[in-house]
Structures are given as C-alpha cells and as structure tokens.
Amino acid sequence: MGIDMLDLSRSAIAIPVVLRDVRYNADHFPGAPKLLGVEGGANCQQYAYALLRHHGFVLPDLRSKELWLDSEHTAVAERMEPFDLVLVHDNPDSWGAHVGLCVGADLVLHLSKTISVPAIETLAELQRRDAYSHLIGYKRPLRRVAAEPS
C-alpha cells in the first residue's frame, strides 16, 4: 500500500475529521438495521454517502445496483467530476459494485476491505486491481442543500 493513498490532503473536497478515521465494516451497509451514519465503521457506499451528506447532498441509502438504476437522486455522468460517485467492479454488473467518490482530477476517495481506512487513488490505480477492473460508470448527485459546518 502506497503512503500517498493514505494522504487525504490530496482531496480537493474537505474531509471532516470525523470521516478521516472511519474503518471498513461490511456489516454497515445501506439499509442495515440500527445503522447510524459511520459510527462503528462503514462499507464503501455508506462512507461515500456520509461525505456527500456532510457537503449538503441529499441521498437515500442505496445499494450499488439501486444507485446505478436511480434517476430520482442521481444522474449518469459522462465523465468524473468532484462529488460524483464512481462505481467499479470485477464485471459489468452493478450488483455488488464498489463505490467511491471523486475528490479531484481523476482522484477517487474510497473505503475498502483491503485497505480498511479511507484512501485516495486515481481511477487507473483502482482499476489495476481485478476486483475493480471494470468501470460501471459515474453517478452525479442531483439535490444539494446547505452543507454542514466543518
């Protein structure tokens, strides 16, 4: 694991302290019972949603396939821009896809089981891994209200 990927200061999007030390927890997925944000850890989707919500975006807790099919809260984007959700997988199916968040020019912030803490990698670096080799696409959140104070 490269030390640069753990340097969250590379993000063009502010990452609040409370979201810098979140640990990966597969049991904390969208829709999990008694889930309170990222308390006790998060999976990739919950982590990305928590950062978007911190910045004022309104999104329901969607699993990967639901996110990809959603057109009420998100739209498919042609290219990745800051605050876009990035879906990658080992195959073209969105079910079970890994979700990250674009935080700058070609940079994706994500929380994975392998790394276990938030990391920033280029999309190309992510796709070098078999588990993330297929780009499903980008989803742009559509609704934003006032962001939380940092």
Side-chain angles (χ1 to χ4, degrees):
M1 168 177 13
I3 213 157
D4 285 341
M5 77 171 51
L6 300 181
D7 179 8
L8 300 185
S9 70
R10 298 186 312 150
S11 174
I13 295 170
I15 303 171
V17 173
V18 69
L19 295 177
R20 289 178 174 267
D21 296 321
V22 175
R23 302 292 294 190
Y24 181 83
N25 184 339
D27 293 331
H28 288 201
F29 55 87
K34 300 180 184 176
L35 186 65
L36 297 172
V38 296
E39 185 178 315
N43 79 343
C44 61
Q45 298 136 332
Q46 283 300 105
Y47 183 74
Y49 297 158
L51 188 56
L52 283 171
R53 289 173 182 142
H54 171 81
H55 286 282
F57 289 93
V58 178
L59 284 167
D61 286 337
L62 301 172
R63 299 301 302 261
S64 300
K65 186 169 192 77
E66 296 167 330
L67 171 61
W68 186 244
L69 296 174
D70 173 67
S71 60
E72 183 178 346
H73 305 281
T74 62
V76 173
E78 292 298 316
R79 66 181 195 285
M80 181 171 76
E81 293 181 5
F83 295 113
D84 285 351
L85 294 156
V86 180
L87 286 82
V88 291
H89 204 334
D90 63 359
N91 67 70
D93 189 357
S94 60
W95 187 89
H98 184 61
V99 176
L101 185 69
C102 177
V103 293
D106 198 38
L107 295 176
V108 179
L109 171 68
H110 67 110
L111 183 62
S112 69
K113 182 178 181 179
T114 305
I115 301 170
S116 78
V117 294
I120 295 175
E121 297 182 85
T122 66
L123 181 57
E125 288 168 338
L126 268 175
Q127 290 190 277
R128 281 190 201 113
R129 290 193 203 97
D130 291 341
Y132 309 138
S133 59
H134 189 86
L135 174 65
I136 304 294
Y138 315 113
K139 293 298 297 251
R140 185 157 297 147
L142 298 175
R143 187 164 164 236
R144 191 173 189 183
V145 295
E148 293 179 23
S150 292

